[in-house]
Amino acid sequence: MMASLFQILGGLALFLLAMEMMTDGLKSAAGHHLRHMLGSWTRTPLRGLAAGCLITGLVQSSGAVTVATLGFVNAGLLGLGQSLGVIFGANIGTTVTAWLVSLIGFGFNIEAIALPLLTCGVALKLISNRSRVQSLGQALAGFALFFLGLSILKSSLEGFTAGFDNQHLLANAYGLPAWLLTGFLATVLTQSSSAALAIVLTAAAGGLIPLNSAAAAVIGANLGSTSTAALAAIKATANARRLAIGHILFNAMTGVVALLILPIMLWVVERLADWLDMTANVAVSLALFHTLFNVIGALIMMPLTPRFAYLLSRLFRSQEEDNAEPRHLDSTLVTTPEVAVSAVDQEMKRLVGLTRGLLRVCLDREDLTGAQIQPKVEACRSLNAAINEYISRLRAEKMQPATVDALTDTIRACRYLLEATDLAVQLLQFRDARDDVRLAPLATRIDQYLVTLRSLVAAEGPAPETFEQSEVLYHQLKSGLLAMIVRTEVPTSTGERLLDTLSGIRRLADQWAKSLAWQPATSRLNHSGPDSPTLNAQ
């Protein structure tokens, strides 16, 4: 009995090692292509579904695809709707493991396949000096160990049940909820739904558990696969945490539906297996069941993805995301522009305040990184886009010429503020340069420039004198830096990077100074005249 138990554990350990080798090898061999597929093939939830299914089938790890998707969401490269499609597809793609186990693991002489594959894989790993070929060899060796581990599991379970007369040793030992929990815990503990599925399929094929109990364990393993996403999202962005919650809810809803209609699904599986002439293989029936309920779940959820994404977007709301939401832009006012301009004015005041806050943070807070200011940047961009979109919806044919002029200046100010927002990161790079010992001769002028920029950002209205002072300091810094480059006191590459940063900050100061000339449209309409100030067009 103990020998069989250690054989089972050894087979499981070999299986887990094989899955890791196969996944890592395939990811390394594919290189940037998988990242390209994940980043570029997910423009819509439906394409995300296809990409998630294909990539998971290739790398044999839904966890790896889920974590990669969370990374893309963290970086802002994937939206919530697109990433949900990838997660749905990954659930379908992970069923490939069950098909490998059921069709090859129980339909062929495993050793006859595995040993030649292992030989080829190790040979590629040792002989080739190309990293991609070595990774392919590692994947091939992992593929072979996958089947060897499965063979050990199969033979050890057969030995474990050989001394018992019952057709299903654990048929009545536990109810379906217990088997559901067993599949869930097996996946959480091994951090591999593939390993849990291999155990369940092998146990069912060896007569250890009946089909309905094995099906409940498969549902549990499917739910347990969400633990990878949950762990990865603990310290992630709000959007990544929303995606992790979406993954858990999707798998939970899919599992509940599968449990509720389990007898019907098993009947359908039996008919399909009979039609495919595979009724003798219990593992194939479970692979069919696993695929069927994941496909049904995806088909149910895909039309609901936009609504699902919206509901998830209401979770984990940050202050920046709340600030990014318009508070005054009422759609019922678009037919009366003269009334709507008041709402636009209120949002513009908020946008100016948000942008000023972003620039102040970049100037005042030490050790700030670009990633840390990204939520504030996105909030400014989002509110800016909302104001522009709202103005574009106003009924132009009902506008007075003065209203058109005022809103034109508002759009122009939005453009100035947007460019200042996009250039905010340059302030962080400039502050970092101040700490470079090679730039010590310029330290005083750098500090003066930063003080002037703080004054310009703090200004509540047009500040031409402060801007002119910043221009003088910019030219002094630029001349001093060029002289240091000529005298080789600063490496050319370092000097050029700082010159680019300086140019960006000068542009930021220029755009911010122009935005300060903006006046509320209602104020301009009430005091319109030939001397009314306008923004400088550029």
Side-chain angles (χ1 to χ4, degrees), residues 277-338:
D277 197 23
M278 293 179 174
T279 51
N281 192 338
V282 176
V284 168
S285 295
L286 284 173
L288 273 171
F289 172 76
H290 189 209
T291 303
L292 187 61
F293 81 77
N294 275 301
V295 169
I296 289 174
L299 290 176
I300 291 173
M301 289 304 299
M302 281 305 293
L304 304 175
T305 298
R307 182 63 181 171
F308 191 38
Y310 172 77
L311 293 175
L312 289 172
S313 71
R314 313 312 297 173
L315 301 175
F316 308 116
R317 300 285 296 180
S318 65
Q319 182 180 350
E320 285 79 11
E321 288 176 306
D322 286 335
N323 287 336
E325 290 290 330
R327 298 176 186 173
H328 306 283
L329 303 182
D330 190 342
S331 295
T332 61
L333 301 178
V334 294
T335 56
T336 52
E338 276 67 26

Side-chain angles (χ1 to χ4, degrees), residues 236-288:
T237 62
N239 241 7
R241 281 181 282 164
R242 291 175 192 130
L243 178 60
I245 292 293
H247 189 196
I248 293 169
L249 289 176
F250 170 69
N251 282 30
M253 289 185 288
T254 302
V256 168
V257 170
L259 275 177
L260 290 175
I261 61 171
L262 185 59
I264 298 173
M265 289 194 69
L266 291 178
W267 178 84
V268 172
V269 165
E270 185 181 352
R271 300 282 78 79
L272 285 172
D274 184 55
W275 179 59
L276 296 170
D277 197 23
M278 293 179 174
T279 51
N281 192 338
V282 176
V284 168
S285 295
L286 284 173
L288 273 171

